[in-house]
Amino acid sequence: MITTDICIIGAGPVGLFAVFEAGLLKMRCHLVDALPEVGGQLTEIYPKKPIYDIPGAPGILAEDLIRNLLVQIEDFRPTYSLGERVEAIQKQPDNSMIVRTNEDTQIHCQVVVLAAGLGSFEPRKPAVSNLEYFEGKGVNYMVKSPELFRAQKVVLAGGGDSALDWAIYLSEIAERVTLIHRNETFRGAPDSAAKVMELAHSGKIDLFLQTQVKGLGGNGRLNSVEVVDQNKKHFQIPADSFIPLFGLSPKLGPIANWGLGIDKSAVLVNTLDYSTTEARIYAIGDINTYPGKLKLILCGFHEAAIMMQSAFKFVYPEQKLSFKYTTVNGINTF
Amino acid sequence: MISIAIEKETGEQTLLEVPVDMGLNLMEVLKAYEYDILATCGGMALCATCHIEVLEGSEKIPPVSDAELDILDTMPATSERSRLACQLRPDEGMDGLVIRLGTFDEN
């Protein structure tokens, strides 16, 4: 069990800056994010795009903003559970809470902050019959540890960089790698595309272009992938594993089932302190909504500052909060 | 003001009045009409959550850009008629366009 003052769900820019605002008030934070890296959309979707409306950081690249935020909060020593999705929050008799993830990590905290943007990034699933039935029985949406695929017959589907990169990587480990791609050419990194073509040419991998996966077969465990080519010809490929790689898309996910007030996939908050309809649970950044809401990073930063002042009473019920400027007091780190 | 028709799977069409002088792209227009579009990236052609299919009037719209093709290519299901609504800016020439809302991720 991890013990902290505040559990922040979502390690995007707003979740990261919330660590700073909490730290100023001597509250410790643990962050949970479904992605394996911090930064949220900025890291996952647009790391190289400049952002023009961050005060005092004109035209900063998204990845640089995240890097700077990590430097800014370093002294407050946040801890992380990355690559895990929060499934449930359980209220305890003393009003504290236990946050549980899909990997069964448990975080005991006094306050929960939802800074989850548009929700957790989940793999896009192709329309393939029996796909969900074979999840955990041969279907994987990411390659967490490549060793698991050693000496296996692996079928990958997709045409982006991750499909190309894993086809190349797994060709060294797996018994056989087959790559299925809907189009005639790859639009991923030209070097990787050339390498895949070369591996296919020399017979190291099987490459099927203008082909799509239609269904999966097996008796309790995956043993074949059914594909259809541009001439509508169907055929079966023997497979121990099928890995569709079609990128990620955000989903509100379990948050929708926590009994919080929700309006159009966003969590309703009181603008006094960005508290939700549940005591000790706050929502800041793109995940929340209120009259006049603007989905801007800078608005999320503001919400984080206000929200942490309100959360103080739950972490230090005996103490009186006094507001201090960092220019006067510096930052008192842990 | 122009009209763009949204066609459902059933073939039923809904006509939308679309302003051409407000600097809106088609994704923003669809959002304004409260269609359930995530538009995660806000219109940078990076997330593909505003995927649509142009059923009639493809000659009325500019050709697909490289950035748009790149992202469409990463999606599990698209067709030759697929476009990203955020990359289309309605103008007078697009009057009468017929589109189908694409495979949005069901939330």
PDB file of all heavy atoms in Angstrom, chain A residues 1-32:
ATOM      1  N   MET A   1       0.847  -1.216   0.000  1.00  0.00           N
ATOM      2  CA  MET A   1       0.000   0.000   0.000  1.00  0.00           C
ATOM      3  C   MET A   1       0.871   1.251   0.000  1.00  0.00           C
ATOM      4  O   MET A   1       1.777   1.394   0.809  1.00  0.00           O
ATOM      5  CB  MET A   1      -0.894  -0.026   1.249  1.00  0.00           C
ATOM      6  CG  MET A   1      -1.703   1.235   1.439  1.00  0.00           C
ATOM      7  SD  MET A   1      -3.399   1.134   0.838  1.00  0.00           S
ATOM      8  CE  MET A   1      -4.142   0.050   2.043  1.00  0.00           C
ATOM      9  N   ILE A   2       0.583   2.150  -0.944  1.00  0.00           N
ATOM     10  CA  ILE A   2       1.285   3.434  -1.001  1.00  0.00           C
ATOM     11  C   ILE A   2       0.505   4.418  -0.129  1.00  0.00           C
ATOM     12  O   ILE A   2      -0.717   4.472  -0.196  1.00  0.00           O
ATOM     13  CB  ILE A   2       1.336   3.940  -2.456  1.00  0.00           C
ATOM     14  CG1 ILE A   2       2.175   2.984  -3.322  1.00  0.00           C
ATOM     15  CG2 ILE A   2       1.883   5.364  -2.535  1.00  0.00           C
ATOM     16  CD1 ILE A   2       1.956   3.130  -4.803  1.00  0.00           C
ATOM     17  N   THR A   3       1.196   5.174   0.697  1.00  0.00           N
ATOM     18  CA  THR A   3       0.508   6.175   1.514  1.00  0.00           C
ATOM     19  C   THR A   3       0.975   7.565   1.112  1.00  0.00           C
ATOM     20  O   THR A   3       2.177   7.808   0.999  1.00  0.00           O
ATOM     21  CB  THR A   3       0.799   5.937   3.010  1.00  0.00           C
ATOM     22  OG1 THR A   3       0.370   4.621   3.327  1.00  0.00           O
ATOM     23  CG2 THR A   3       0.043   6.934   3.879  1.00  0.00           C
ATOM     24  N   THR A   4       0.012   8.449   0.858  1.00  0.00           N
ATOM     25  CA  THR A   4       0.348   9.808   0.461  1.00  0.00           C
ATOM     26  C   THR A   4      -0.745  10.741   0.975  1.00  0.00           C
ATOM     27  O   THR A   4      -1.754  10.281   1.521  1.00  0.00           O
ATOM     28  CB  THR A   4       0.489   9.896  -1.079  1.00  0.00           C
ATOM     29  OG1 THR A   4       1.000  11.171  -1.438  1.00  0.00           O
ATOM     30  CG2 THR A   4      -0.856   9.681  -1.771  1.00  0.00           C
ATOM     31  N   ASP A   5      -0.540  12.056   0.807  1.00  0.00           N
ATOM     32  CA  ASP A   5      -1.600  12.991   1.200  1.00  0.00           C
ATOM     33  C   ASP A   5      -2.639  13.104   0.088  1.00  0.00           C
ATOM     34  O   ASP A   5      -3.831  13.029   0.320  1.00  0.00           O
ATOM     35  CB  ASP A   5      -1.007  14.383   1.481  1.00  0.00           C
ATOM     36  CG  ASP A   5      -0.037  14.353   2.662  1.00  0.00           C
ATOM     37  OD1 ASP A   5      -0.327  13.619   3.624  1.00  0.00           O
ATOM     38  OD2 ASP A   5       1.002  15.042   2.614  1.00  0.00           O
ATOM     39  N   ILE A   6      -2.117  13.284  -1.132  1.00  0.00           N
ATOM     40  CA  ILE A   6      -3.009  13.547  -2.255  1.00  0.00           C
ATOM     41  C   ILE A   6      -2.699  12.607  -3.403  1.00  0.00           C
ATOM     42  O   ILE A   6      -1.544  12.467  -3.804  1.00  0.00           O
ATOM     43  CB  ILE A   6      -2.856  15.014  -2.714  1.00  0.00           C
ATOM     44  CG1 ILE A   6      -3.310  15.937  -1.565  1.00  0.00           C
ATOM     45  CG2 ILE A   6      -3.647  15.280  -3.991  1.00  0.00           C
ATOM     46  CD1 ILE A   6      -3.250  17.392  -1.869  1.00  0.00           C
ATOM     47  N   CYS A   7      -3.726  11.953  -3.922  1.00  0.00           N
ATOM     48  CA  CYS A   7      -3.549  11.095  -5.098  1.00  0.00           C
ATOM     49  C   CYS A   7      -4.098  11.846  -6.300  1.00  0.00           C
ATOM     50  O   CYS A   7      -5.279  12.215  -6.332  1.00  0.00           O
ATOM     51  CB  CYS A   7      -4.274   9.769  -4.911  1.00  0.00           C
ATOM     52  SG  CYS A   7      -4.062   8.682  -6.329  1.00  0.00           S
ATOM     53  N   ILE A   8      -3.232  12.099  -7.273  1.00  0.00           N
ATOM     54  CA  ILE A   8      -3.622  12.827  -8.469  1.00  0.00           C
ATOM     55  C   ILE A   8      -3.789  11.832  -9.612  1.00  0.00           C
ATOM     56  O   ILE A   8      -2.851  11.093  -9.938  1.00  0.00           O
ATOM     57  CB  ILE A   8      -2.569  13.894  -8.842  1.00  0.00           C
ATOM     58  CG1 ILE A   8      -2.395  14.896  -7.685  1.00  0.00           C
ATOM     59  CG2 ILE A   8      -2.955  14.621 -10.133  1.00  0.00           C
ATOM     60  CD1 ILE A   8      -1.252  15.885  -7.874  1.00  0.00           C
ATOM     61  N   ILE A   9      -4.958  11.799 -10.194  1.00  0.00           N
ATOM     62  CA  ILE A   9      -5.211  10.875 -11.303  1.00  0.00           C
ATOM     63  C   ILE A   9      -5.022  11.639 -12.605  1.00  0.00           C
ATOM     64  O   ILE A   9      -5.813  12.519 -12.943  1.00  0.00           O
ATOM     65  CB  ILE A   9      -6.622  10.273 -11.193  1.00  0.00           C
ATOM     66  CG1 ILE A   9      -6.754   9.542  -9.845  1.00  0.00           C
ATOM     67  CG2 ILE A   9      -6.900   9.336 -12.366  1.00  0.00           C
ATOM     68  CD1 ILE A   9      -8.157   9.088  -9.536  1.00  0.00           C
ATOM     69  N   GLY A  10      -3.946  11.314 -13.300  1.00  0.00           N
ATOM     70  CA  GLY A  10      -3.602  12.027 -14.534  1.00  0.00           C
ATOM     71  C   GLY A  10      -2.313  12.801 -14.354  1.00  0.00           C
ATOM     72  O   GLY A  10      -2.227  13.689 -13.509  1.00  0.00           O
ATOM     73  N   ALA A  11      -1.288  12.453 -15.138  1.00  0.00           N
ATOM     74  CA  ALA A  11       0.020  13.106 -15.018  1.00  0.00           C
ATOM     75  C   ALA A  11       0.298  13.982 -16.228  1.00  0.00           C
ATOM     76  O   ALA A  11       1.399  14.033 -16.750  1.00  0.00           O
ATOM     77  CB  ALA A  11       1.118  12.067 -14.824  1.00  0.00           C
ATOM     78  N   GLY A  12      -0.722  14.685 -16.697  1.00  0.00           N
ATOM     79  CA  GLY A  12      -0.532  15.693 -17.742  1.00  0.00           C
ATOM     80  C   GLY A  12      -0.039  16.977 -17.112  1.00  0.00           C
ATOM     81  O   GLY A  12       0.335  17.002 -15.939  1.00  0.00           O
ATOM     82  N   PRO A  13      -0.006  18.072 -17.874  1.00  0.00           N
ATOM     83  CA  PRO A  13       0.557  19.318 -17.354  1.00  0.00           C
ATOM     84  C   PRO A  13      -0.149  19.803 -16.082  1.00  0.00           C
ATOM     85  O   PRO A  13       0.512  20.263 -15.145  1.00  0.00           O
ATOM     86  CB  PRO A  13       0.364  20.317 -18.502  1.00  0.00           C
ATOM     87  CG  PRO A  13      -0.650  19.711 -19.411  1.00  0.00           C
ATOM     88  CD  PRO A  13      -0.488  18.232 -19.257  1.00  0.00           C
ATOM     89  N   VAL A  14      -1.467  19.668 -16.039  1.00  0.00           N
ATOM     90  CA  VAL A  14      -2.207  20.183 -14.885  1.00  0.00           C
ATOM     91  C   VAL A  14      -1.971  19.306 -13.652  1.00  0.00           C
ATOM     92  O   VAL A  14      -1.736  19.813 -12.550  1.00  0.00           O
ATOM     93  CB  VAL A  14      -3.710  20.311 -15.237  1.00  0.00           C
ATOM     94  CG1 VAL A  14      -4.526  20.668 -14.006  1.00  0.00           C
ATOM     95  CG2 VAL A  14      -3.904  21.361 -16.331  1.00  0.00           C
ATOM     96  N   GLY A  15      -1.966  17.990 -13.835  1.00  0.00           N
ATOM     97  CA  GLY A  15      -1.672  17.082 -12.725  1.00  0.00           C
ATOM     98  C   GLY A  15      -0.274  17.329 -12.178  1.00  0.00           C
ATOM     99  O   GLY A  15      -0.053  17.354 -10.963  1.00  0.00           O
ATOM    100  N   LEU A  16       0.691  17.552 -13.080  1.00  0.00           N
ATOM    101  CA  LEU A  16       2.067  17.792 -12.642  1.00  0.00           C
ATOM    102  C   LEU A  16       2.165  19.106 -11.864  1.00  0.00           C
ATOM    103  O   LEU A  16       2.784  19.169 -10.799  1.00  0.00           O
ATOM    104  CB  LEU A  16       3.020  17.821 -13.848  1.00  0.00           C
ATOM    105  CG  LEU A  16       3.214  16.484 -14.581  1.00  0.00           C
ATOM    106  CD1 LEU A  16       4.052  16.689 -15.849  1.00  0.00           C
ATOM    107  CD2 LEU A  16       3.872  15.433 -13.698  1.00  0.00           C
ATOM    108  N   PHE A  17       1.527  20.169 -12.383  1.00  0.00           N
ATOM    109  CA  PHE A  17       1.635  21.455 -11.689  1.00  0.00           C
ATOM    110  C   PHE A  17       0.905  21.410 -10.348  1.00  0.00           C
ATOM    111  O   PHE A  17       1.293  22.107  -9.400  1.00  0.00           O
ATOM    112  CB  PHE A  17       1.100  22.599 -12.559  1.00  0.00           C
ATOM    113  CG  PHE A  17       1.362  23.944 -11.951  1.00  0.00           C
ATOM    114  CD1 PHE A  17       2.671  24.416 -11.811  1.00  0.00           C
ATOM    115  CD2 PHE A  17       0.332  24.731 -11.474  1.00  0.00           C
ATOM    116  CE1 PHE A  17       2.927  25.646 -11.215  1.00  0.00           C
ATOM    117  CE2 PHE A  17       0.571  25.962 -10.879  1.00  0.00           C
ATOM    118  CZ  PHE A  17       1.875  26.429 -10.751  1.00  0.00           C
ATOM    119  N   ALA A  18      -0.125  20.575 -10.248  1.00  0.00           N
ATOM    120  CA  ALA A  18      -0.844  20.434  -8.982  1.00  0.00           C
ATOM    121  C   ALA A  18       0.106  19.947  -7.877  1.00  0.00           C
ATOM    122  O   ALA A  18      -0.057  20.310  -6.711  1.00  0.00           O
ATOM    123  CB  ALA A  18      -2.021  19.475  -9.146  1.00  0.00           C
ATOM    124  N   VAL A  19       1.122  19.159  -8.256  1.00  0.00           N
ATOM    125  CA  VAL A  19       2.123  18.699  -7.284  1.00  0.00           C
ATOM    126  C   VAL A  19       2.847  19.896  -6.676  1.00  0.00           C
ATOM    127  O   VAL A  19       3.117  19.940  -5.471  1.00  0.00           O
ATOM    128  CB  VAL A  19       3.147  17.755  -7.958  1.00  0.00           C
ATOM    129  CG1 VAL A  19       4.287  17.417  -7.009  1.00  0.00           C
ATOM    130  CG2 VAL A  19       2.464  16.498  -8.478  1.00  0.00           C
ATOM    131  N   PHE A  20       3.134  20.893  -7.515  1.00  0.00           N
ATOM    132  CA  PHE A  20       3.817  22.099  -7.039  1.00  0.00           C
ATOM    133  C   PHE A  20       2.950  22.845  -6.036  1.00  0.00           C
ATOM    134  O   PHE A  20       3.402  23.198  -4.933  1.00  0.00           O
ATOM    135  CB  PHE A  20       4.158  23.004  -8.230  1.00  0.00           C
ATOM    136  CG  PHE A  20       4.917  24.244  -7.845  1.00  0.00           C
ATOM    137  CD1 PHE A  20       6.292  24.219  -7.694  1.00  0.00           C
ATOM    138  CD2 PHE A  20       4.239  25.434  -7.619  1.00  0.00           C
ATOM    139  CE1 PHE A  20       6.988  25.366  -7.322  1.00  0.00           C
ATOM    140  CE2 PHE A  20       4.921  26.587  -7.243  1.00  0.00           C
ATOM    141  CZ  PHE A  20       6.301  26.553  -7.098  1.00  0.00           C
ATOM    142  N   GLU A  21       1.697  23.061  -6.407  1.00  0.00           N
ATOM    143  CA  GLU A  21       0.796  23.824  -5.535  1.00  0.00           C
ATOM    144  C   GLU A  21       0.537  23.075  -4.226  1.00  0.00           C
ATOM    145  O   GLU A  21       0.400  23.686  -3.175  1.00  0.00           O
ATOM    146  CB  GLU A  21      -0.514  24.124  -6.271  1.00  0.00           C
ATOM    147  CG  GLU A  21      -0.353  25.137  -7.405  1.00  0.00           C
ATOM    148  CD  GLU A  21       0.048  26.524  -6.907  1.00  0.00           C
ATOM    149  OE1 GLU A  21      -0.278  26.872  -5.759  1.00  0.00           O
ATOM    150  OE2 GLU A  21       0.701  27.265  -7.670  1.00  0.00           O
ATOM    151  N   ALA A  22       0.488  21.753  -4.282  1.00  0.00           N
ATOM    152  CA  ALA A  22       0.320  20.951  -3.066  1.00  0.00           C
ATOM    153  C   ALA A  22       1.594  21.038  -2.221  1.00  0.00           C
ATOM    154  O   ALA A  22       1.535  21.200  -1.001  1.00  0.00           O
ATOM    155  CB  ALA A  22       0.023  19.503  -3.428  1.00  0.00           C
ATOM    156  N   GLY A  23       2.730  20.964  -2.901  1.00  0.00           N
ATOM    157  CA  GLY A  23       4.019  20.973  -2.210  1.00  0.00           C
ATOM    158  C   GLY A  23       4.239  22.248  -1.410  1.00  0.00           C
ATOM    159  O   GLY A  23       4.787  22.212  -0.307  1.00  0.00           O
ATOM    160  N   LEU A  24       3.798  23.374  -1.948  1.00  0.00           N
ATOM    161  CA  LEU A  24       3.922  24.640  -1.230  1.00  0.00           C
ATOM    162  C   LEU A  24       3.217  24.578   0.117  1.00  0.00           C
ATOM    163  O   LEU A  24       3.599  25.254   1.063  1.00  0.00           O
ATOM    164  CB  LEU A  24       3.316  25.789  -2.051  1.00  0.00           C
ATOM    165  CG  LEU A  24       4.062  26.236  -3.313  1.00  0.00           C
ATOM    166  CD1 LEU A  24       3.310  27.385  -3.964  1.00  0.00           C
ATOM    167  CD2 LEU A  24       5.495  26.646  -3.002  1.00  0.00           C
ATOM    168  N   LEU A  25       2.179  23.740   0.180  1.00  0.00           N
ATOM    169  CA  LEU A  25       1.400  23.602   1.414  1.00  0.00           C
ATOM    170  C   LEU A  25       1.804  22.341   2.179  1.00  0.00           C
ATOM    171  O   LEU A  25       1.059  21.848   3.020  1.00  0.00           O
ATOM    172  CB  LEU A  25      -0.096  23.589   1.086  1.00  0.00           C
ATOM    173  CG  LEU A  25      -0.600  24.765   0.251  1.00  0.00           C
ATOM    174  CD1 LEU A  25      -2.094  24.637  -0.029  1.00  0.00           C
ATOM    175  CD2 LEU A  25      -0.314  26.089   0.943  1.00  0.00           C
ATOM    176  N   LYS A  26       2.971  21.813   1.830  1.00  0.00           N
ATOM    177  CA  LYS A  26       3.536  20.631   2.501  1.00  0.00           C
ATOM    178  C   LYS A  26       2.660  19.380   2.371  1.00  0.00           C
ATOM    179  O   LYS A  26       2.594  18.535   3.261  1.00  0.00           O
ATOM    180  CB  LYS A  26       3.768  20.930   3.994  1.00  0.00           C
ATOM    181  CG  LYS A  26       4.852  21.954   4.250  1.00  0.00           C
ATOM    182  CD  LYS A  26       5.909  21.363   5.175  1.00  0.00           C
ATOM    183  CE  LYS A  26       7.061  22.318   5.421  1.00  0.00           C
ATOM    184  NZ  LYS A  26       8.077  22.246   4.387  1.00  0.00           N
ATOM    185  N   MET A  27       1.986  19.291   1.253  1.00  0.00           N
ATOM    186  CA  MET A  27       1.187  18.082   1.006  1.00  0.00           C
ATOM    187  C   MET A  27       1.903  17.248  -0.066  1.00  0.00           C
ATOM    188  O   MET A  27       2.292  17.764  -1.109  1.00  0.00           O
ATOM    189  CB  MET A  27      -0.224  18.470   0.538  1.00  0.00           C
ATOM    190  CG  MET A  27      -0.964  19.329   1.567  1.00  0.00           C
ATOM    191  SD  MET A  27      -2.705  19.632   1.150  1.00  0.00           S
ATOM    192  CE  MET A  27      -2.576  20.736  -0.245  1.00  0.00           C
ATOM    193  N   ARG A  28       2.056  15.965   0.238  1.00  0.00           N
ATOM    194  CA  ARG A  28       2.750  15.053  -0.681  1.00  0.00           C
ATOM    195  C   ARG A  28       1.779  14.482  -1.709  1.00  0.00           C
ATOM    196  O   ARG A  28       0.614  14.262  -1.404  1.00  0.00           O
ATOM    197  CB  ARG A  28       3.363  13.885   0.093  1.00  0.00           C
ATOM    198  CG  ARG A  28       4.560  14.268   0.901  1.00  0.00           C
ATOM    199  CD  ARG A  28       4.983  13.119   1.800  1.00  0.00           C
ATOM    200  NE  ARG A  28       5.938  13.600   2.776  1.00  0.00           N
ATOM    201  CZ  ARG A  28       7.251  13.692   2.523  1.00  0.00           C
ATOM    202  NH1 ARG A  28       7.733  13.289   1.364  1.00  0.00           N
ATOM    203  NH2 ARG A  28       8.058  14.165   3.440  1.00  0.00           N
ATOM    204  N   CYS A  29       2.311  14.190  -2.893  1.00  0.00           N
ATOM    205  CA  CYS A  29       1.442  13.706  -3.974  1.00  0.00           C
ATOM    206  C   CYS A  29       1.955  12.410  -4.593  1.00  0.00           C
ATOM    207  O   CYS A  29       3.160  12.203  -4.732  1.00  0.00           O
ATOM    208  CB  CYS A  29       1.347  14.745  -5.088  1.00  0.00           C
ATOM    209  SG  CYS A  29       0.545  16.270  -4.577  1.00  0.00           S
ATOM    210  N   HIS A  30       0.993  11.569  -4.984  1.00  0.00           N
ATOM    211  CA  HIS A  30       1.278  10.394  -5.809  1.00  0.00           C
ATOM    212  C   HIS A  30       0.440  10.531  -7.077  1.00  0.00           C
ATOM    213  O   HIS A  30      -0.749  10.829  -7.013  1.00  0.00           O
ATOM    214  CB  HIS A  30       0.901   9.114  -5.061  1.00  0.00           C
ATOM    215  CG  HIS A  30       1.241   7.862  -5.825  1.00  0.00           C
ATOM    216  ND1 HIS A  30       2.502   7.300  -5.797  1.00  0.00           N
ATOM    217  CD2 HIS A  30       0.498   7.089  -6.651  1.00  0.00           C
ATOM    218  CE1 HIS A  30       2.501   6.219  -6.579  1.00  0.00           C
ATOM    219  NE2 HIS A  30       1.298   6.079  -7.115  1.00  0.00           N
ATOM    220  N   LEU A  31       1.076  10.346  -8.231  1.00  0.00           N
ATOM    221  CA  LEU A  31       0.356  10.478  -9.502  1.00  0.00           C
ATOM    222  C   LEU A  31       0.138   9.113 -10.146  1.00  0.00           C
ATOM    223  O   LEU A  31       1.039   8.267 -10.127  1.00  0.00           O
ATOM    224  CB  LEU A  31       1.145  11.355 -10.477  1.00  0.00           C
ATOM    225  CG  LEU A  31       1.303  12.821 -10.072  1.00  0.00           C
ATOM    226  CD1 LEU A  31       2.772  13.181 -10.004  1.00  0.00           C
ATOM    227  CD2 LEU A  31       0.598  13.729 -11.061  1.00  0.00           C
ATOM    228  N   VAL A  32      -1.031   8.928 -10.728  1.00  0.00           N
ATOM    229  CA  VAL A  32      -1.340   7.691 -11.469  1.00  0.00           C
ATOM    230  C   VAL A  32      -1.692   8.087 -12.891  1.00  0.00           C
ATOM    231  O   VAL A  32      -2.425   9.062 -13.102  1.00  0.00           O
ATOM    232  CB  VAL A  32      -2.547   6.952 -10.851  1.00  0.00           C
ATOM    233  CG1 VAL A  32      -2.760   5.614 -11.544  1.00  0.00           C
ATOM    234  CG2 VAL A  32      -2.364   6.761  -9.360  1.00  0.00           C
TER     235      VAL A  32
END
